Amino acid sequence: MEQLARLEDLPTRYVADLTQKNLVPLWPSLRNVLPPLKPIPHTQAISWKFKDIKPLLIEAGELTPIEKAERRVLVLANPGHGLENMRATSVIYLGMQLLLPKEWAPAHRHTPNAVRLIVEGEKAYTTVEGEKCPMSHGDLILTPSGLWHEHGHDGDEPVIWLDVLDLPLVYYMEASYVEGGECQPVTNTGTKSRYGKGLVPTQHHIRAKNNYPMLRYPWAEAKQLLNDLAEAQSQGPIQVAYVNPETGEDCQKIIGYSAVMVRANETIQMSPCSAAQVFHVIEGQLELQIGTDTFNLEKADTACAPCFAQVDLINKSSEPCFIFIADEAPIQKKLDLYSVRERN
Ligand code: 1HN
């Protein structure tokens, strides 16, 4: 493609005239906003180690009472987007949240969608629109756009979880805001799923138009399914998607969630795709290769990969490794922006 004229090629007086009238020449920036063949991502391949985060999060618990924080979170910020912008990717926000015994993070609802993936600790819960969802290691709990949610803790050890939100996108759209509220009455304990494999309840009040019929996906069930699939199929990647059990569609509209099992001594070569991805180790050890970068991840570590990266999930240990993945595929598919390419 032709090299285009630069801003410096224009007379200073002309550029000043344009600026004064809120005008900008396109051609010096055209190749930046429309690069040939693939995007130029701001998202950098990067990892965050839980052993680095945990002591700083515990210290936050000493420095700032929950009443003064509302949510006590350290944000996993990608330097490629500028740390102050609090983005892991252009769409995905990540944070590690700490709740100490007896603490309560008050009810609110907001426009961005959130999920929690529980990292450590027992006996905390999130109440979402009256459904009290217990939090155990590896559980996924949805707090979709517009639903009331609050967190409490009946145990005696700190609880830590990973928050994943579509905040960067919703904020960019100037659509992000919050409403504060009262403590919610609990109407459902959420301990038992209303959905079995291939079975949904027939009651009309549950099946009535509800975009979010399932709010809690226990890790024990996801892990069991991954193990069953691996037993039935000795080769090829083992991955399950977190979906709306009524429709089979992605459980949220903007970010997609899945869990992968990497068998002992297995390498999974992922096809480069237009959606950036986040990886979080639920159990085991993972060597994550993103292009030319290698990250050695352990339980509770998190990493992200930019669009069209060549990603390998390598398990060199003799135990299976289980990984949680968040990606931008749902929103990209809705906008006809999603594509997958062959590996080099
Ligand atoms: C939020 O509502 C929570 O409810 C956590 O725990 C992190 C980050 C940005 C905006 C809202 C929560 C958040 C958040």
Side-chain angles (χ1 to χ4, degrees), residues 71 73 93 97 108 110 116 149 151 163 165 167:
R71 299 295 191 263
V73 178
Y93 158 103
Q97 182 162 172
H108 68 193
H110 42 68
R116 335 260 157 225
H149 55 281
H151 316 300
D163 290 313
L165 283 88
L167 179 65

Side-chain angles (χ1 to χ4, degrees), residues 2 26 118 181 191 201-202 238 244 246 254 267 302 316:
E2 197 86 6
L26 173 61
I118 318 311
T191 41
T202 57
I238 303 292
N244 174 332
E246 295 274 359
I254 296 177
T267 294
T302 308
K316 291 185 169 163

Side-chain angles (χ1 to χ4, degrees), residues 144-188:
S145 178
L147 301 197
W148 291 104
H149 55 281
E150 65 197 82
H151 316 300
H153 190 348
D154 297 331
D156 42 34
E157 296 289 334
V159 169
I160 297 174
W161 63 80
L162 178 70
D163 290 313
V164 187
L165 283 88
D166 47 28
L167 179 65
L169 178 64
V170 177
Y171 179 79
Y172 180 72
M173 294 172 75
E174 300 189 344
S176 179
Y177 62 95
V178 69
E179 186 184 346
E182 304 296 310
C183 182
Q184 301 167 75
V186 173
T187 55
N188 180 341

